[in-house]
Amino acid sequence: MGLISLGLIILYSKNLGVNTDGKILLKTLHAYLGYVFVINLIVRIIYFFSNDSYSNWKAIFSFGKKDITTLKLFIKALKERNMPNYLGHNPIAKLMISLLFLLLIIQAISGLVLAGTDLYLPPFGHEIAKWVTGEDPNKLAALQPGSKENLDMNAYNEMRIFRKPFITVHIYAFYSLLIAILLHIVAVILSEIKEKSGLISSMITGNKFFSKKPIDYDNDE
Ligand code: HEM
């Protein structure tokens, strides 16, 4: 939420009358929150590979022939209002989570590049600062984010061309994320209403309740 709110303010900073210093402060706050977000994302990705449950990467990111058939059967069952129960994620939820993760990874990578091109922050900031100052150590030492002083203008203009696709991707992934998050929330609420399995509370307790046996429960005990 913090990243989205600050991102929105940066996006509309001209209309809001934010001056250059204010914009740099907003971008810096956004980038620091971005680092927390990136660490979180890395921890979650490690968890995908280090557990053997329904949140394992293989249980979610699998797009084989079998998964497509399962998805088609699930959609057919949905249309017939006979939705099967899933202990883990249902086939549409798996697609949704895959899309969300793809967008989050795109946002993290493009954000880290932008933190370098706009604020000269790690992990790429030092290299970018060297580039835009034409590798002049005095200019490098005096370089400030948002200031046009101490720049080698040719190198700076080249860097701005390099940066362009990253900001475009960051903005489009941002709008796509907003739509994906909204769809995700609507889907979770609809599933909860239809399944009545305690899907939302299961995100905290890990317990779901079913009226019929979940079709992905393979332990016959
Ligand atoms: C879910 C995660 C994220 C969301 C929703 C998000 C959203 C946004 C939005 C909407 C903007 C405004 C674009 C504009 O400049 O007009 C922005 C800019 C920016 N973001 Fe992110 N961002 C995210 C993650 C990150 C991360 C991880 C970093 C870096 C650590 C980052 C660094 C930046 C920087 C430096 C800018 C300023 C670019 C500029 O305007 O020149 N962002 N972000």
Side-chain angles (χ1 to χ4, degrees):
M1 280 311 285
L3 278 171
I4 292 177
S5 320
L6 282 170
L8 270 175
I9 302 175
I10 298 171
L11 198 56
Y12 293 103
S13 53
K14 252 195 200 140
N15 308 38
L16 294 169
V18 181
N19 64 15
T20 308
D21 285 346
K23 214 171 161 186
I24 295 293
L25 179 68
L26 286 169
K27 286 185 191 185
T28 309
L29 281 175
H30 178 82
Y32 284 137
L33 260 185
Y35 290 134
V36 178
F37 159 79
V38 171
I39 293 168
N40 221 322
L41 192 61
I42 292 171
V43 170
R44 186 60 188 87
I45 290 170
I46 293 171
Y47 184 66
F48 271 136
F49 291 94
S50 62
N51 79 92
D52 216 8
S53 69
Y54 292 95
S55 50
N56 178 276
W57 70 276
K58 270 191 242 156
I60 295 172
F61 306 109
S62 91
F63 308 102
K65 256 189 183 166
K66 199 177 141 211
D67 302 288
I68 295 170
T69 312
T70 316
L71 177 67
K72 281 183 184 161
L73 288 173
F74 182 75
I75 294 173
K76 191 167 168 262
L78 266 186
K79 283 184 188 156
E80 290 165 359
R81 295 178 183 274
N82 182 27
M83 193 167 125
N85 282 334
Y86 281 83
L87 205 49
H89 296 99
N90 71 45
I92 293 184
K94 283 182 193 178
L95 273 186
M96 193 70 225
I97 294 168
S98 306
L99 174 69
L100 269 177
F101 263 88
L102 178 71
L103 288 171
L104 291 176
I105 291 169
I106 291 175
Q107 206 60 346
I109 296 172
S110 56
L112 287 175
V113 174
L114 291 173
T117 58
D118 283 64
L119 305 164
Y120 312 119
L121 283 174
F124 309 112
H126 187 65
E127 287 311 308
I128 289 167
K130 275 192 349 201
W131 181 11
V132 296
T133 50
E135 309 237 354
D136 177 330
N138 296 326
K139 286 184 176 176
L140 181 62
L143 185 66
Q144 291 295 328
S147 161
K148 290 259 154 62
E149 278 171 38
N150 300 302
L151 291 171
D152 172 327
M153 282 321 283
N154 281 336
Y156 178 74
N157 289 333
E158 274 174 29
M159 185 279 277
R160 299 294 290 182
I161 294 169
F162 160 82
R163 170 195 183 274
K164 219 172 174 179
F166 291 96
I167 186 74
T168 308
V169 164
H170 204 68
I171 292 175
Y172 279 108
F174 166 69
Y175 286 126
S176 312
L177 256 177
L178 284 188
I179 297 169
I181 290 169
L182 203 78
L183 281 177
H184 189 70
I185 294 172
V186 170
V188 166
I189 293 172
L190 285 181
S191 296
E192 176 74 315
I193 292 170
K194 279 199 178 325
E195 266 185 3
K196 296 191 176 57
S197 63
L199 172 62
I200 296 170
S201 63
S202 78
M203 293 175 196
I204 301 162
T205 62
N207 298 321
K208 273 184 172 179
F209 306 94
F210 298 109
S211 51
K212 49 189 177 190
K213 190 178 167 192
I215 62 170
D216 57 344
Y217 182 64
D218 51 11
N219 184 349
D220 280 333
E221 275 171 35

